[in-house]
Amino acid sequence: MAFKRRARRMRLGLGRYRVGPMWLWKALLVFVAIAFAGQLLGVIFNKSLQQDRSRSLFSSDGQGPSLGSCRPHSHVMFLKTHKTASSTVLNMLYRYGEERDLCFALPLGYQFGYPLPFNAHRVKGYRGPHVAEFSIMGNHMRFNKPEVEKVMPVDTFYFSIMRDPVALAESSYAYYKAVAPAFKKAKGLGDFADNPRKYYDPRLRNNHYARNLLWFDFGLDHNANFSTTLARRGEAAVRRAFKLILVSEHFDQSMVLLRHALCWPLDAIVSFSLNARQQKPSGGSSWVGKAAVAQPPALALTDDQRLKLREWNALDWHLYQAFNRSFWNEVDRFGRTRMDQEVALLRTRRDVLARACLRDGGRPVEASRIRDKTIRPFQSGLVKILGYELQPGLDNATHQSCLRMIRPEIQYKDLLDARQFPRAAPQAAQAQAPAIPAGGAYVRKDPSSQLRTGELGVGEGGGVGGGTGEDRSRLSRSNNNNNNQTLLRGGGGKGKIK
């Protein structure tokens, strides 16, 4: 009997011994589950907070003032003229199209066969007139409207941008001195301005950078002798071909007009100046990086030399004056007070994004100081081309949105090309041709940059490298035939401008 009582007590004790750890184990499981759930909720909350911040940064104030009942234009052609802030405008088009998965009309290289007149077959993926639908076209070309119309839809919105020919000449000299024979021979821009005919030979390739460059980019004969009749006919041809001409000296006002013309949200036209060659001057200029405050000696000009450059570029000067007047007429129709309000909003938005996206408050930095080598701008000419660095610690969505705003033109084109033509990407990686920036001049290659191909390269002696024999033959004929051919009008034939 005593044995049974001891056995019973042992069983009860063992039971109590087993029950104790079981409750502890259950409590431990509950604790771990609560901790895991808390951590998971924290991660989700943080991600949601980051996404909300990103949406707040790029959505809450990004639409801008109401545009009414208009419908956004998705078919856009931008004639990217040289040294006019056109790289900044192209970045806007790239961003808008990429974010909406639009199809770009991209060149086989980085330009559409420039300086040859544009040909539709220079578009990658082109298979015949309107076989494929392209939404956005904007890389450098010499305008040839009949060929462009083979590529772009009928309802395409055409626009371009102009700049004071003297400021344009300063920038052109700085960038293309090594490749334009007229610039190469001159001691400085002032020396060239004093006697341009001493250095300029219209038969030499790449000398188009030295005279009436706007006129040339619009497809007109830049070597034609100036006459008021000729200048007005050229002006009329540009007006027929383009619905809006922007003015780089009034960049922010231009962006407001462009936004309303395209019916795009505010963030689509907010930008940071790309290809900047100086820091922002004091006084709150609306456009930085193009008009120099303190010019290097080679670019210094007297007032008399500035007048001489306007005379030398008389066709460009006529275009600029005419479309500058038209621009301000558009502003008057828009309303000066309304324009001032929208410009202030645009600048405020730019400052907000600069503080959020960029180091040092958005001040451009030398390419060598940019840690991310993939966003270093290519270098060309007498001056250093500046770029930007992103703020550290940005969430992924904000990082990508900010990166789009500062990605250099050539790298952005490569990205869009790889996405639009994924099978062709490995071939591009095998290229062994020199890197060519927008404009055709050789660049000082960054050690991290890869060699690229497909461009009509320009050699030190002004000769043409790359391209086919047909390209070289056509270029020779284009430069040697000094006629009044215009590529703006529908016929594209020879004769006086109509």
Side-chain angles (χ1 to χ4, degrees):
M1 195 69 181
F3 175 78
K4 290 181 178 179
R5 285 197 296 269
R6 285 196 298 271
R8 184 181 178 188
R9 284 196 297 270
M10 288 178 66
R11 286 197 298 272
L12 290 173
L14 287 172
R16 285 192 295 269
Y17 180 76
R18 287 194 300 269
V19 169
M22 184 179 297
W23 284 104
L24 288 173
W25 179 249
K26 289 180 179 179
L28 180 62
L29 286 176
V30 171
F31 176 78
V32 170
I34 292 174
F36 177 77
Q39 186 177 18
L40 182 61
L41 288 173
V43 170
I44 294 173
F45 177 77
N46 286 335
K47 285 187 176 180
S48 176
L49 183 62
Q50 289 177 345
Q51 291 173 353
D52 287 343
R53 286 174 178 171
S54 177
R55 284 194 292 267
S56 175
L57 178 63
F58 283 94
S59 299
S60 61
D61 298 319
Q63 294 299 313
S66 173
L67 293 167
S69 59
C70 64
R71 297 182 62 182
H73 280 275
S74 59
H75 297 148
V76 178
M77 190 278 163
F78 171 56
L79 177 61
K80 189 177 187 294
T81 51
H82 285 80
K83 321 320 303 171
T84 56
S86 59
S87 292
T88 303
V89 179
L90 182 60
N91 175 268
M92 299 174 196
L93 301 181
Y94 278 170
R95 283 160 34 206
Y96 186 87
E98 182 191 7
E99 291 167 0
R100 291 157 181 80
D101 199 26
L102 301 180
C103 185
F104 290 87
L106 296 172
L108 298 173
Y110 294 97
Q111 304 171 96
F112 291 111
Y114 190 88
L116 293 170
F118 174 75
N119 184 286
H121 292 281
R122 288 285 184 178
V123 175
K124 193 169 185 177
Y126 176 78
R127 300 189 302 274
H130 307 295
V131 173
E133 180 174 316
F134 295 98
S135 294
I136 295 177
M137 171 183 278
N139 293 81
H140 275 305
M141 69 164 66
R142 189 177 185 203
F143 191 61
N144 184 356
K145 189 171 184 181
E147 289 294 309
V148 173
E149 288 177 333
K150 293 179 182 178
V151 179
M152 300 302 293
V154 175
D155 63 346
T156 294
F157 183 92
Y158 288 76
F159 76 104
S160 188
I161 186 167
M162 293 185 183
R163 184 184 185 187
D164 186 317
V166 175
L168 192 152
E170 291 170 346
S171 187
S172 184
Y173 185 91
Y175 279 77
Y176 302 123
K177 180 174 174 59
V179 297
F183 289 157
K184 188 185 299 187
K185 296 175 184 177
K187 297 177 181 178
L189 183 58
D191 181 38
F192 175 81
D194 284 333
N195 191 1
R197 295 191 183 278
K198 174 182 176 182
Y199 303 106
Y200 184 80
D201 185 341
R203 299 169 298 178
L204 297 182
R205 293 166 185 159
N206 302 317
N207 264 348
H208 66 279
Y209 290 119
R211 189 179 193 192
N212 292 315
L213 183 52
L214 286 174
W215 198 266
F216 181 88
D217 284 350
F218 277 96
L220 303 166
D221 179 13
H222 66 302
N223 285 316
N225 293 325
F226 178 85
S227 71
T228 302
T229 300
L230 177 67
R232 287 176 177 172
R233 286 176 177 169
E235 173 194 338
V238 173
R239 292 191 188 279
R240 287 194 300 270
F242 294 88
K243 296 180 180 178
L244 180 64
I245 298 294
L246 312 178
V247 178
S248 63
E249 283 82 3
H250 309 291
F251 191 79
D252 288 347
Q253 292 85 349
S254 294
M255 292 302 99
V256 172
L257 291 181
L258 180 64
R259 172 178 179 259
H260 284 265
L262 295 178
C263 195
W264 283 7
L266 175 63
D267 273 0
I269 56 93
V270 175
S271 62
F272 307 134
S273 178
L274 301 182
N275 280 355
R277 57 186 177 103
Q278 66 168 41
Q279 296 186 7
K280 184 176 181 179
S282 59
S285 171
S286 67
W287 175 51
V288 300
K290 299 293 180 182
V293 175
Q295 295 282 30
L299 300 178
L301 292 170
T302 65
D303 290 341
D304 185 57
Q305 289 168 338
R306 291 178 177 275
L307 289 174
K308 289 179 179 178
L309 280 176
R310 286 199 175 114
E311 292 174 1
W312 175 245
N313 296 284
L315 293 169
D316 274 9
W317 179 235
H318 176 91
L319 276 186
Y320 178 78
Q321 287 182 297
F323 284 97
N324 188 53
R325 286 192 297 269
S326 298
F327 176 84
W328 287 107
N329 288 337
E330 288 290 333
V331 171
D332 287 336
R333 281 190 287 270
F334 187 83
R336 294 285 180 122
T337 300
R338 182 186 177 198
M339 175 61 72
D340 291 343
Q341 293 170 346
E342 295 213 15
V343 165
L345 181 64
L346 184 153
R347 292 175 179 173
T348 299
R349 184 64 176 157
R350 179 190 295 134
D351 290 341
V352 168
L353 295 182
R355 288 194 299 270
C357 291
L358 306 176
R359 283 180 180 265
D360 302 324
R363 187 174 70 250
V365 297
E366 293 183 12
S368 60
R369 293 177 53 197
I370 299 175
R371 295 170 179 83
D372 184 352
K373 295 182 179 180
T374 64
I375 57 173
R376 289 179 177 176
F378 282 104
Q379 302 299 300
S380 177
L382 300 176
V383 293
K384 292 181 179 179
I385 304 172
L386 307 180
Y388 299 95
E389 279 207 291
L390 291 178
Q391 288 277 24
L394 298 174
D395 65 88
N396 186 61
T398 303
H399 181 274
Q400 289 302 318
S401 296
C402 293
L403 181 59
R404 289 190 185 104
M405 297 185 72
I406 67 168
R407 182 176 280 123
E409 177 182 336
I410 291 178
Q411 290 93 314
Y412 213 150
K413 187 269 176 184
D414 284 342
L415 175 68
L416 297 174
D417 196 312
R419 290 182 178 179
Q420 197 161 306
F421 303 97
R423 296 180 182 178
Q427 298 176 1
Q430 299 173 4
Q432 294 298 319
I436 307 293
Y442 276 126
V443 296
R444 299 193 298 272
K445 247 174 42 68
D446 184 276
S448 64
S449 65
Q450 294 184 357
L451 299 176
R452 314 192 196 284
T453 191
E455 202 67 354
L456 195 65
V458 182
E460 285 297 317
V464 177
T468 64
E470 180 184 358
D471 290 335
R472 291 188 287 271
S473 176
R474 289 172 59 205
L475 180 58
S476 178
R477 292 195 301 270
S478 176
N479 284 325
N480 288 333
N481 291 338
N482 185 13
N483 54 52
N484 288 332
Q485 179 181 11
T486 176
L487 302 174
L488 284 159
R489 59 189 174 86
K494 297 181 180 180
K496 292 184 179 180
I497 299 172
K498 297 181 179 179

